Amino acid sequence: MIRHTVAFRLVHPEGSPEEQAFLTEGPALLRAIPGVEDFVVSRQVGAKSTLRFQFAMTFADQAAYDAYDAHPDHRRFVETRWAGEVAEFAELDLVPYP
């Protein structure tokens, strides 16, 4: 199992229609890609990070994650939305500790 997480800050003003669109349209598209399980959108409430949101999802195994990463819908989202709308991010891919 792989838990893929990306914490990020958008270029859009807080509470703007553009922010709302990114946070609803992105997950709708990404959730529909085969292999994506347990997709969650979270909002940062602490003051220790400037990264305001997180997308997190689970994949059964490395093959499922690789298929997602290469999927045309994921690639298109990264190129057309993520690259221009995300100001800063941190990505983690985690597996259970034995």
Side-chain angles (χ1 to χ4, degrees), residues 23-97:
L23 295 172
T24 57
E25 295 167 9
L29 178 111
L30 298 173
R31 281 184 180 113
I33 297 174
V36 174
E37 302 173 12
D38 190 30
F39 192 108
V40 177
V41 179
S42 300
R43 182 176 57 86
Q44 168 67 272
V45 295
K48 294 181 180 180
S49 176
T50 61
L51 303 176
R52 298 196 58 245
F53 299 101
Q54 180 192 54
F55 289 172
M57 63 202 82
T58 301
F59 298 94
D61 53 28
Q62 188 66 48
Y65 176 79
D66 291 344
Y68 162 82
D69 192 47
H71 194 279
D73 290 345
H74 173 251
R75 296 288 175 147
R76 189 170 26 263
F77 174 76
V78 169
E79 292 170 11
T80 63
R81 299 293 303 268
W82 188 269
E85 297 183 60
V86 173
E88 176 186 13
F89 72 94
E91 182 173 331
L92 295 171
D93 295 311
L94 306 166
V95 298
Y97 185 74

